[in-house]
Amino acid sequence: AKDQGAGNFRIFDRMMADHVAARRQLDLGLRAALRERRFVLYFQPVISGLDGSTIGFEALLRWFDPERGMISPADFIPVAEETGLIVELGGWVLEQACREAMGWPLPLRVSVNVSARQFHAGDLYARVEDALRQSGLPPQRLELEITESVLLQETPALRQTFEALQALGVAVALDDFGIGYSSLAYLRRFPVDRVKIDRSFVKDMHADNDDARIVSSLIVLSHILGMEVTAEGVETEEQQQLLQRAGCDALQGYLISRPLAAAVVPIWLRRQPRG
Ligand code: C2E
Ligand code: CA
Ligand code: CA
Ligand code: CA
């Protein structure tokens, strides 16, 4: 089985992920990893733009392979989405994230990335309810991060799921905000609780006046619409200061912390100022 695993990755390494056979190999590798519990959640701190206190953590999936080490989700999530495995994998992420968050001090929140495929699978609400019930985590401490792609196909089922989740008290955040082509139209139809400004805007804020103005305007607009704003990809002090001055509610990025193993979270929290 070990040799077979290495073979899968050799194929993958050759950048043949587009090839049907290679994709199937990766799919098999993912299924085996799910069975063998080779997935791990990391948690990246999100801090308040106001006082720097920790607000919560975003759960980020890692695939731990004995031979290759940690494999980035950017390499396997697209395949899991295509094959549909993301529904099962995402269910595991939800359960695991809620269970971890239950061990954190109140009122720290956990944010979980949810793919369009999961949203449209039809049982997302039931899975969220299950994860909350099994862990005992109050709904107010869970946030789901979706991208525009979730909202592309506006079906009655989508609206129903969206509204049911919000009625339950689970927050919904629109991820990668700003890079889509019509985010504003979606925001009118699907009032989310939070937007996460994509790091491509944050990246050049200090050098590019347009980017700085776009970010400031997005923050003002979001506040007018009753949403909070998280900036992602904060890597420098300068970016942090610009964002804080622009009234950004929450900050996330390597400057604050890389994603942490679950066991490191309590250590991080002990070192942080209290809000
Ligand atoms: P995302 O949701 O936009 O997550 C943020 C990504 O940016 C993470 O990459 C994070 O490690 C990285 N990041 C955080 N701060 C910085 C920074 O200051 N600079 C830079 N350059 N990068 C930063 P990661 O963990 O590799 O995840 C990549 C993407 O994979 C995520 O993007 C998300 O779309 C997807 N993903 C991760 N975990 C899950 C999951 O459980 N379910 C689903 N459906 N997708 C996931
Ligand atoms: Ca995210
Ligand atoms: Ca993002
Ligand atoms: Ca992103």
Side-chain angles (χ1 to χ4, degrees):
K2 211 175 172 187
D3 288 341
Q4 203 186 329
N8 291 346
F9 290 125
R10 227 170 287 133
I11 293 167
F12 186 55
D13 281 344
R14 275 185 235 137
M15 303 288 286
M16 286 177 66
D18 280 343
H19 194 270
V20 177
R23 207 153 271 205
R24 179 160 160 70
Q25 288 299 303
L26 186 59
D27 178 46
L28 289 175
L30 284 167
R31 283 175 200 278
L34 194 56
R35 270 197 315 274
E36 291 160 20
R37 302 179 186 281
R38 294 249 170 82
F39 289 103
V40 181
L41 284 186
Y42 270 50
F43 297 93
Q44 187 175 34
V46 181
I47 64 164
S48 161
L50 218 61
D51 61 13
S53 61
T54 306
I55 298 171
F57 296 84
E58 178 178 3
L60 293 161
L61 190 57
R62 301 287 179 267
W63 177 5
F64 186 75
D65 181 77
E67 273 149 33
R68 294 252 313 219
M70 291 292 187
I71 302 169
S72 160
D75 293 332
F76 65 81
I77 293 278
V79 177
E81 279 172 350
E82 200 169 302
T83 63
L85 189 66
I86 191 69
V87 176
E88 204 183 325
L89 188 52
W92 178 84
V93 170
L94 258 172
E95 280 175 22
Q96 194 65 20
C98 291
R99 209 174 300 147
E100 277 301 329
M102 204 42 202
W104 304 338
L106 284 166
L108 291 177
R109 265 194 327 237
V110 67
S111 304
V112 175
N113 292 287
V114 177
S115 292
R117 190 89 184 232
Q118 281 173 271
F119 232 94
H120 291 285
D123 63 346
L124 182 68
Y125 181 82
R127 279 186 184 257
V128 167
E129 249 191 339
D130 276 356
L132 291 171
R133 189 169 349 98
Q134 279 168 24
S135 63
L137 190 76
Q140 290 72 19
R141 293 181 64 192
L142 175 65
E143 178 171 80
L144 304 181
E145 296 192 4
I146 61 171
T147 57
E148 254 183 36
S149 61
V150 169
L151 310 177
L152 275 175
Q153 298 174 273
E154 186 177 349
T155 62
L158 171 68
R159 177 156 295 282
Q160 203 183 352
T161 303
F162 192 88
E163 283 167 2
L165 285 168
Q166 289 193 321
L168 187 64
V170 172
V172 179
L174 185 62
D175 207 350
D176 302 341
F177 185 60
I179 57 172
Y181 55 93
S182 54
S183 295
L184 288 178
Y186 294 122
L187 286 181
R188 233 180 38 207
R189 293 208 308 277
F190 293 97
V192 297
D193 303 282
R194 167 185 306 276
V195 295
K196 297 189 75 174
I197 297 181
D198 193 70
R199 72 164 173 271
S200 55
F201 291 105
V202 174
K203 197 166 162 278
D204 298 321
M205 266 186 90
H206 61 288
D208 187 328
N209 265 328
D210 283 346
D211 276 9
R213 283 196 208 101
I214 289 171
V215 170
S216 302
S217 310
L218 286 179
I219 293 170
V220 170
L221 179 73
S222 303
H223 287 164
I224 290 173
L225 294 175
M227 303 179 296
E228 294 204 346
V229 182
T230 299
E232 58 178 27
V234 182
E235 294 183 351
T236 69
E237 298 277 358
E238 206 176 0
Q239 289 166 351
Q240 170 158 0
Q241 279 166 16
L242 284 169
L243 287 161
Q244 284 178 317
R245 233 175 287 147
C248 194
D249 304 283
L251 309 168
Q252 186 181 355
Y254 293 165
L255 176 71
I256 294 121
S257 170
R258 299 241 165 198
L260 307 169
V264 181
V265 167
I267 300 167
W268 160 268
L269 289 172
R270 250 176 271 136
R271 284 206 211 124
Q272 288 307 295
R274 293 259 156 217

